[in-house]
Amino acid sequence: MLNLERLRTLDALARHGSVSGAADGLHVTTSAVSQQMAKLEREVGQPLLAKNGRGVRLTDAGRLLADHAARIISQVELAQADVEAQRGCAVGALRIGAFPTAMRGLLPQALNALRGEHPELRPHVREQEPEESMAAVVRGDLDLALAIDWHNKRMPVPVELTRAHLLDDSCDIAVPDGHPLANREKISLAEFAEDEWISWNEGQFCHEWLVFTLRGIGIEPRIAHIAEEHHTQLAFVEAGLGVCVTPRLGRGPVPAGVRLLPVSDAVRRHVYAVWRADADRRPSIRAAVTALRQVAAQL
């Protein structure tokens, strides 16, 4: 009899491509992954891994079994969803990934509502960028993710996922007090052609959006500084080191030396929840999405 947890380990190895990647995805040690694979090899009676330089690769038998493992795990998730749906109540663990401003601006209120309405539901939240959290939902490492895209640049959603819109989040341009535009009631992005920008990490969807948007209006972006967190970006703005885009969701206090300017051409982020389509019947997911929508409607 094949052990389901060992099949999960094999599936993680196939998806991540390394023992360390599988360990990170499963939240276990690399030695635990190696031990599970050694036991699985004994169960099937043939090698599933082969050395590949300093790493490992799946053998032909390993790839064959990994394909079956992915289907088995999907069927198990469907079975769990059906059982949970039959009970008609949201129970058990619910793993959620969310980007930082949603962690501050949406999830605390939504989780508080879930705790009151569904006391047997145990949410576990992880802060992740949308690209990472959506991939984790596809892999089965997360049950639900909060993601974003922009009014003029949509983020592709894998076909395996279902998406529910939560809210549109308007953004402003943060400038230092002494900026020539600081006293304007509204501005256009085209007026920042000569400014230096504080942006998100290169390779992140939001950084790509900023570059794409500025180039779309004929501005070659002058990215002076890279900062992951919006509060860090605002600290740089206050010091006169550039300007930045700052969303309203989860914003919190703004430094005294920063002015926030609304944009006349409406810079907006779309915030939505995603989950695996084969888990659509789970009451826990429906309950979480309902709570998120209720909080979003109040913002």
Side-chain angles (χ1 to χ4, degrees), residues 120-151:
E120 294 185 66
L121 185 62
R122 301 188 308 277
H124 302 279
V125 177
R126 180 193 310 171
E127 185 174 296
Q128 279 188 320
E129 290 301 319
E131 304 96 314
E132 298 172 327
S133 60
M134 279 203 291
V137 174
V138 171
R139 294 194 306 266
D141 298 336
L142 290 176
D143 300 305
L144 183 73
L146 300 186
I148 53 169
D149 56 24
W150 296 82
H151 68 286

Side-chain angles (χ1 to χ4, degrees), residues 58-125:
L58 294 180
T59 63
D60 290 343
R63 285 194 297 270
L64 177 65
L65 187 56
D67 290 340
H68 284 290
R71 291 193 291 272
I72 291 168
I73 292 166
S74 180
Q75 283 300 119
V76 169
E77 289 174 354
L78 280 170
Q80 290 174 333
D82 284 343
V83 169
E84 187 180 326
Q86 188 183 42
R87 289 185 62 181
C89 57
V91 298
L94 184 69
R95 303 160 299 170
I96 304 172
F99 56 96
T101 51
M103 287 281 286
R104 293 193 299 270
L106 273 177
L107 273 176
Q109 304 96 310
L111 293 178
N112 190 43
L114 282 173
R115 182 171 56 183
E117 295 177 19
H118 306 281
E120 294 185 66
L121 185 62
R122 301 188 308 277
H124 302 279
V125 177

Side-chain angles (χ1 to χ4, degrees), residues 102-292:
M103 287 281 286
R104 293 193 299 270
L106 273 177
L107 273 176
Q109 304 96 310
L111 293 178
N112 190 43
L114 282 173
R115 182 171 56 183
E117 295 177 19
H118 306 281
E120 294 185 66
L121 185 62
R122 301 188 308 277
H124 302 279
V125 177
R126 180 193 310 171
E127 185 174 296
Q128 279 188 320
E129 290 301 319
E131 304 96 314
E132 298 172 327
S133 60
M134 279 203 291
V137 174
V138 171
R139 294 194 306 266
D141 298 336
L142 290 176
D143 300 305
L144 183 73
L146 300 186
I148 53 169
D149 56 24
W150 296 82
H151 68 286
N152 60 337
K153 188 175 177 64
R154 305 308 297 267
M155 178 180 286
V157 176
V159 295
E160 301 96 329
L161 302 185
T162 297
R163 173 166 64 178
H165 178 264
L166 298 176
L167 77 153
D168 287 345
D169 180 30
S170 295
C171 300
D172 303 308
I173 305 301
V175 303
D177 251 345
H179 193 280
L181 302 175
N183 294 318
R184 291 273 298 278
E185 291 188 4
K186 260 188 182 178
I187 48 84
S188 167
L189 286 178
E191 297 180 78
F192 293 94
E194 302 303 318
D195 283 272
E196 293 186 329
W197 290 85
I198 299 131
S199 180
W200 301 269
N201 284 340
E202 294 180 24
Q204 284 188 4
F205 186 73
C206 290
H207 176 87
E208 293 175 358
W209 165 81
L210 179 62
V211 172
F212 168 83
T213 300
L214 293 177
R215 285 177 177 166
I217 57 174
I219 298 174
E220 183 57 33
R222 299 170 62 190
I223 308 296
H225 306 287
I226 299 291
E228 181 77 20
E229 259 293 341
H230 291 289
H231 292 305
T232 306
Q233 294 180 1
L234 290 175
F236 273 61
V237 172
E238 185 180 34
L241 300 173
V243 301
C244 73
V245 177
T246 179
R248 296 179 186 176
L249 177 65
R251 180 183 284 167
V254 175
V258 172
R259 294 293 305 274
L260 299 177
L261 306 178
V263 185
S264 58
D265 33 358
V267 174
R268 297 184 310 279
R269 305 189 304 174
H270 306 298
V271 181
Y272 49 92
V274 297
W275 62 93
R276 285 178 65 98
D278 56 16
D280 207 40
R281 296 188 290 273
R282 289 182 60 186
S284 56
I285 288 177
R286 293 202 300 270
V289 173
T290 297
L292 287 163

